[in-house]
Amino acid sequence: MIKMMTSDSMIGACAEHKQHHDIFDLAIESFINKTSSSDKHDFVSITNALENATYSLFPDIPKLLSKFSDECHQFSFDVVFLPIHTLLNGFSKLPIWASESRSTIVSDLPSFSLVPQENITKIGQYLLMLPQHFEPFNLHDNRQLGIAFKKGKLPYLEDKESYNDLTSCWLDSIALATMRLCIEQTLKISTLTSTGLKQLIMDLQYLYSVLEDFGLKDVVDFRDMIELLNTDEETFEELARHKPARMVTAIRTMRHL
């Protein structure tokens, strides 16, 4: 009996709902029929637009979150890159570039007898330790971190979508920033003696080998700069034809060619 009453109640409710639904449809249909053709067209257009609309109640929130994500990435990058920036700051003004050894024996020593300067070796050591610092972020399945990583922007990376993990993306960004800053500082050197030139080539070759160990592919400018510094006066002009003009001018000036 209870089941029957329940079923009857459900049927009645459905019928009542259908009746109300039909009344609503009839009211809309009656309204449309009584309106003019132009108003009817406007009404149908508005109704279709509302039914098919894809809109957000808070359109500014995604933009603000995206901006905040970019600022967080930039802040994190600045923190990670700060030690390298500090070590390279003033690199172009080091006194070694203009120094001339008074000892003939020292000045005639081959380049392989030199060692990179301390600030350059510190940069290399810091870069080689970075993968260990980023490794924990790849060991944990952090969905929120993954979303933030994909939405944020890192300096010097044009196509971040091609990277599969956070570590390689960050390492390339830091390595590219190091290379760009080193090139910028090197091209600001005003004068080079023979001793200073040998030391500079040694420093840059060491840093270049570290960047190669990182697997950095975009090192053409860095390699061009080393080649222009390392070539002799007779072949400089021939080599310079295929190098960036600004780089050629700066190196020609500092080498007094």
Side-chain angles (χ1 to χ4, degrees), residues 24-37:
F24 178 77
D25 288 343
L26 289 173
I28 295 296
E29 185 178 352
S30 175
F31 171 77
I32 294 176
N33 291 333
K34 291 179 181 179
T35 57
S36 62
S37 58

Side-chain angles (χ1 to χ4, degrees), residues 66-90:
S66 179
K67 180 182 178 182
F68 178 69
S69 179
D70 291 343
E71 291 174 351
C72 289
H73 274 72
Q74 184 64 53
F75 175 77
S76 301
F77 174 87
D78 291 341
V79 171
V80 176
F81 189 65
L82 180 60
I84 297 176
H85 186 276
T86 303
L87 289 168
L88 280 178
N89 187 31

